[in-house]
Amino acid sequence: MNTSLQPAGLPIAAVERDTGLAKDTLRVWERRYGFPQPERDANGERVYPLAQVDKLRLLRRLIDQGLRPAKIIPLELQALTALLDEIGRPRDGGDPERSAQFTAILKFVRLHLHEDLRRSLQQLLMKLGLQRFVCEVVAPLNQLVGDAWLRGELEVPEEHLYTEQIQNILRAAIGAHPAPHSGRPVVMLTTFPEEQHALGLLMVEAAITPEGACCISLGTQTPLEDIRSAASGGRFDIVALSFSSAYPTRQAIEGLRSLRASLPEQVSLWAGGSAVHGAARKLPGITVFESIASLPAALDAWRAAAGVTQP
Amino acid sequence: MNTSLQPAGLPIAAVERDTGLAKDTLRVWERRYGFPQPERDANGERVYPLAQVDKLRLLRRLIDQGLRPAKIIPLELQALTALLDEIGRPRDGGDPERSAQFTAILKFVRLHLHEDLRRSLQQLLMKLGLQRFVCEVVAPLNQLVGDAWLRGELEVPEEHLYTEQIQNILRAAIGAHPAPHSGRPVVMLTTFPEEQHALGLLMVEAAITPEGACCISLGTQTPLEDIRSAASGGRFDIVALSFSSAYPTRQAIEGLRSLRASLPEQVSLWAGGSAVHGAARKLPGITVFESIASLPAALDAWRAAAGVTQP
DNA sequence: GTCAACATTTTGTCCAGGACAAAATATGAA
DNA sequence: TTCATATTTTGTCCTGGACAAAATGTTGAC
C-alpha cells in the first residue's frame, strides 16, 4: 500500500520513458549544465524529483522545435512555457462553428471517446466531401493536435487514437471512391526510411484520388534504391514523398536531391510536409507543397503539360 | 548512392531498436557470454553483422517466453528456431474452413490490406454474432498473431494493424448493442499500470455486454489506488482486470492480492489473461479466467449468488 | 544582398569495466 | 507436496573520457 504514494521521484529509466531523453543524455546534461540535479537513493542511484521531470519534458519539446539545449536549460519553468506559447502556431481565426467542432473533437480525443470521435469526423466528411474534409478539417486538426502535444496536453495514447481514427476514415473514404485504378497521372506514394508517418500519404491520396489520379502507395519507409527502381519501370508519372515535422530537414533535402538525380527525367518528383516547408528554393526540379490544398492545382498543371485530359 | 548497400552491419543503437535489447545488455552479453561479437569500425565502435542481429532477435523472443540467456545464447541458430517451434502452441485442429479463413486473415495482416482485413472480420462477426466472434475468432487469432510475431513473421506495424482493426470492429459492435447501461452486474473494466493492452478489456466487454451486464471501462493503466476508490463507491458489483502475456506474473499476483484485500467484500474481483493463467490457486477470493469462453457462465453464477435475474 | 566553403562550438552517443539489487533457481525443512 | 532460505543469474546503473555529426559563426565571391 506504500506503492501508491511516491513523494520522492523517478529512477533514470522512468525519466527516459517519460521524457524521451536517453539516459546518456540525462547524465551528460547533469555534468555539463548542472541540470537536472537528481537526488540519490541509498544505492547512489539517481532519483529525479517530479518538478525536474516536468521541466525536462518541456525542454524536450522545445528542443524538438529547434531550440538549443544550452540556451533553454538554464531558464525557469515559467520562461519555458512562455516560449512554448510563442512557438504555438497562430490561431486559425476561421469559421467560429468550425472552431467549436474542432474543440469538441479535441475533447473526444482527450477523453478517449472513440465512438464520438469517429461519428463527428464522419459527419464532417459527409458534409464537406473527401477533398474539402482533408484540406479544411484534417490538416488544421493535425496542427491543433500537434500543438496540444507540444504543450503536453496530450499523451502518446491520445495522439495515437487520433491518428488511427483519421486513418480509418480516410481509408474507408478512399476505398469507396469509384474507378480507383484507371486515370492519369499514376502517382507513387511513399516515405523515406525512418519516416513512419503514414497519415501524410493518406491525406495526399485522399486529396487527389477524387481528381481522377491513380494512386499506388508503397507504404512508409521505402529504401531510396527501391523507390528509384520502382519509378524507373515506366509505370509511374509522379513520385510523391511525405515528410512529417519530426523528419530532419537536412536529410530530407539530401535524399530528395539524390533521388531526383537518379530518377528518369520524365518522372516528376513531389514533396510535402513540415520538414520541407520553405525549402523549395533548395530543391530545383522538385515540386514542393506548402499545403495540401495546392495539390489539385498541381495535378491540373501536370495534365496540361503532359497533354493528358481528365476522364 | 552508396547509402543503399550496407553489407557491413548495424551500429549498436540500430540493434537496440531492432531487437529491443538495451545497449547495456548487448555490451554485457558480449563481455559475459562472448556473444554477440560485433566488429569495430574506424572509431572503435561496434558494428553488428546482420546474422548476429538475426540471432539476437530470436534470443529476445525466447527470453520473453521465459527461457534464460545462459542456456540459449550458446546455441546455434538452428537450435533456436527449433525451440521456437516447440514453444509455438499446438495447432487448433478445428474446423478446416475456419482455419482457411484464419490463414487468409493473417495474409491480409502481413500485406497491410486494411480493407480486406476489415471486411473478412466483419463478415465473421455478422455470421457468428458478437459473443461467438470473440471466443471463436478473436481469441484464436490473437494466439496465431502472437505465434507469428514470436517467429519473427510479423513486424510491429503489422501487429499494430491487426490490433487496431479488431478493436475498431469490437467497439462498433459493442456500441451497436441495445441497452448498454442498464443491467446487473455492473462491471468495472481496467488494467494495472504498465499494462497497456486494451484489447483484452474490449474482448471481455464484448463477451458479457450481450449477456446484459453493464460494463464501464476505465481504460488501461489505472493506478491501484484509483481502482480501489472507484470500486468502493458502491457503484460496482465486479472489478475485472486483464493481463497480457507481457505482464510479469509475479507483479500481477501481488497486485491482485493487494487489491482484493483493500476492496469491499461484496465486490467480486475477476482476472484474466496469459499472465494469470494457472494462478487461480495462488489467488483466493479472486475469480481467475482461463478462457474468454467461461465468462458467460461466471456471469450466471454471480447472478444466482446475488439473486439478480437477467432483464 | 545571397550563397558557398571553411572554422568553431555544441551536443548526443559511444566506450570500458566495476558494482549491485532484483529475479530466477536450487537447496533444505516442515 | 509447500514454504522459507541460500545461491546464482541477469539487467541496469555508475563514472568520466572521447569523438563525430550537427549547428552555428565567419569569410569571401558573386
Side-chain angles (χ1 to χ4, degrees):
Chain A
M1 39 174 54
N2 219 335
T3 331
S4 51
L5 48 103
Q6 321 145 335
L10 305 177
I12 194 169
V15 177
E16 178 180 43
R17 242 193 302 110
D18 271 27
T19 64
L21 295 164
K23 292 192 259 273
D24 271 329
T25 305
L26 289 168
R27 286 192 275 254
V28 91
W29 280 11
E30 183 180 339
R31 207 196 306 167
R32 287 194 188 136
Y33 311 113
F35 182 90
Q37 200 129 47
E39 294 154 25
R40 299 295 177 127
D41 68 6
N43 315 316
E45 306 197 344
R46 291 172 174 79
V47 176
Y48 292 83
L50 296 178
Q52 297 191 20
V53 179
D54 287 339
K55 180 168 169 186
L56 286 169
R57 239 191 302 273
L58 289 184
L59 289 171
R60 168 68 204 273
R61 305 262 157 89
L62 287 166
I63 287 166
D64 281 348
Q65 291 306 303
L67 300 193
R68 318 246 13 218
K71 303 209 170 165
I72 55 175
I73 289 181
L75 297 181
E76 296 296 324
L77 219 93
Q78 200 182 346
L80 294 178
T81 50
L83 269 178
L84 271 175
D85 282 343
E86 238 175 82
I87 289 176
R89 289 107 174 171
R91 298 291 120 241
D92 53 341
D95 181 2
E97 187 199 351
R98 188 62 50 80
S99 288
Q101 285 169 320
F102 287 174
T103 308
I105 287 174
L106 280 181
K107 198 184 74 189
F108 297 151
V109 172
R110 255 188 277 271
L111 301 179
H112 289 251
L113 298 171
H114 298 259
E115 284 309 319
D116 293 305
L117 175 59
R118 184 179 178 76
R119 190 179 28 74
S120 47
L121 289 172
Q122 194 73 50
Q123 277 172 1
L124 280 166
L125 169 61
M126 290 304 199
K127 187 173 151 197
L128 298 175
L130 182 51
Q131 242 180 10
R132 287 185 60 204
F133 177 70
V134 170
C135 298
E136 298 176 25
V137 175
V138 180
L141 265 181
N142 283 350
Q143 296 261 9
L144 287 174
V145 168
D147 269 13
W149 158 256
L150 204 69
R151 285 163 214 273
E153 295 166 13
L154 293 180
E155 299 293 320
V156 176
E158 283 83 33
E159 213 235 329
H160 205 89
L161 159 64
Y162 168 76
T163 312
E164 284 294 335
Q165 291 299 338
I166 296 271
Q167 288 190 9
N168 280 325
I169 298 238
L170 290 183
R171 280 207 191 88
I174 293 167
H177 236 89
H181 290 302
S182 56
R184 289 283 295 278
V186 180
V187 182
M188 176 203 299
L189 292 166
T190 191
T191 69
F192 281 167
E194 304 186 27
E195 169 61 76
Q196 319 209 353
H197 290 270
L199 184 49
L201 295 178
L202 270 178
M203 288 172 67
V204 174
E205 192 170 352
I208 64 178
T209 298
E211 297 280 330
C214 170
C215 290
I216 295 178
S217 177
L218 302 190
T220 55
Q221 310 206 58
T222 309
L224 238 120
E225 172 56 25
D226 294 0
I227 300 177
R228 193 198 55 70
S229 72
S232 302
R235 273 192 69 205
F236 295 98
D237 300 308
I238 298 171
V239 173
L241 277 299
S242 166
F243 298 89
S244 75
S245 60
Y247 202 87
T249 300
R250 224 191 178 85
Q251 210 170 320
I253 291 176
E254 198 178 328
L256 283 168
R257 280 184 179 152
S258 153
L259 184 60
R260 175 67 279 180
S262 68
L263 233 45
E265 245 183 80
Q266 73 272 17
V267 176
S268 298
L269 184 52
W270 289 9
S274 314
V276 293
H277 282 175
R281 219 165 16 84
K282 296 184 179 176
L283 292 168
I286 300 172
T287 311
V288 177
F289 291 86
E290 299 297 320
S291 139
I292 194 97
S294 43
L295 275 164
L299 212 60
D300 287 342
W302 182 90
R303 286 203 177 105
V308 175
T309 54
Q310 187 172 355
Chain B
M1 40 172 57
N2 218 336
T3 332
S4 52
L5 48 101
Q6 321 148 336
L10 304 177
I12 193 168
V15 178
E16 178 179 43
R17 241 193 305 109
D18 272 27
T19 64
L21 295 164
K23 293 193 258 275
D24 270 329
T25 305
L26 289 168
R27 287 193 275 253
V28 89
W29 280 11
E30 183 180 339
R31 207 195 309 165
R32 288 196 186 134
Y33 310 113
F35 181 90
Q37 200 128 47
E39 293 155 25
R40 300 294 177 129
D41 68 4
N43 315 316
E45 305 198 344
R46 291 173 174 79
V47 176
Y48 292 83
L50 297 178
Q52 296 191 22
V53 179
D54 288 339
K55 179 168 170 186
L56 285 169
R57 239 190 302 272
L58 288 184
L59 289 171
R60 168 69 203 271
R61 305 263 157 90
L62 286 166
I63 288 166
D64 281 348
Q65 290 306 303
L67 300 192
R68 316 239 23 211
K71 303 209 170 166
I72 56 176
I73 289 181
L75 297 181
E76 296 295 323
L77 219 94
Q78 201 181 347
L80 294 177
T81 51
L83 269 177
L84 272 175
D85 282 343
E86 239 176 80
I87 288 176
R89 288 106 175 171
R91 298 292 121 240
D92 54 339
D95 182 0
E97 187 199 350
R98 187 61 52 79
S99 288
Q101 285 169 318
F102 287 173
T103 309
I105 287 175
L106 280 183
K107 198 183 75 189
F108 297 152
V109 172
R110 256 188 276 271
L111 301 179
H112 289 251
L113 298 171
H114 299 259
E115 286 307 319
D116 293 306
L117 175 60
R118 186 180 177 75
R119 190 178 28 73
S120 47
L121 289 173
Q122 195 73 51
Q123 277 172 1
L124 280 166
L125 170 62
M126 291 302 199
K127 187 172 151 198
L128 298 174
L130 182 51
Q131 241 181 8
R132 287 184 61 205
F133 177 70
V134 170
C135 298
E136 298 176 25
V137 175
V138 180
L141 266 180
N142 284 350
Q143 296 260 10
L144 288 174
V145 168
D147 271 13
W149 158 257
L150 203 68
R151 286 162 215 273
E153 295 166 13
L154 293 180
E155 299 294 319
V156 177
E158 282 85 32
E159 213 235 328
H160 205 88
L161 159 65
Y162 168 76
T163 312
E164 285 295 335
Q165 291 300 337
I166 295 270
Q167 288 190 9
N168 280 327
I169 298 238
L170 290 183
R171 280 206 191 88
I174 293 167
H177 236 90
H181 290 302
S182 56
R184 291 280 295 278
V186 180
V187 182
M188 177 203 299
L189 292 166
T190 190
T191 70
F192 281 168
E194 304 187 27
E195 169 61 77
Q196 319 209 352
H197 290 270
L199 185 49
L201 295 178
L202 270 178
M203 288 171 67
V204 174
E205 193 170 352
I208 65 177
T209 297
E211 297 280 331
C214 170
C215 291
I216 294 178
S217 177
L218 302 190
T220 56
Q221 310 208 59
T222 309
L224 237 120
E225 172 54 26
D226 294 359
I227 300 177
R228 194 198 56 71
S229 72
S232 302
R235 273 192 70 206
F236 295 98
D237 300 308
I238 298 172
V239 173
L241 277 298
S242 166
F243 299 89
S244 75
S245 59
Y247 201 86
T249 300
R250 224 188 178 84
Q251 211 171 320
I253 290 177
E254 198 178 327
L256 283 168
R257 280 182 178 154
S258 153
L259 184 60
R260 175 68 280 180
S262 68
L263 233 45
E265 245 183 80
Q266 72 272 16
V267 176
S268 298
L269 184 52
W270 289 8
S274 314
V276 293
H277 282 175
R281 221 167 13 87
K282 296 184 179 176
L283 293 168
I286 300 172
T287 311
V288 178
F289 292 86
E290 299 295 321
S291 140
I292 194 100
S294 43
L295 275 164
L299 212 60
D300 288 341
W302 183 89
R303 285 199 177 110
V308 174
T309 53
Q310 188 172 356

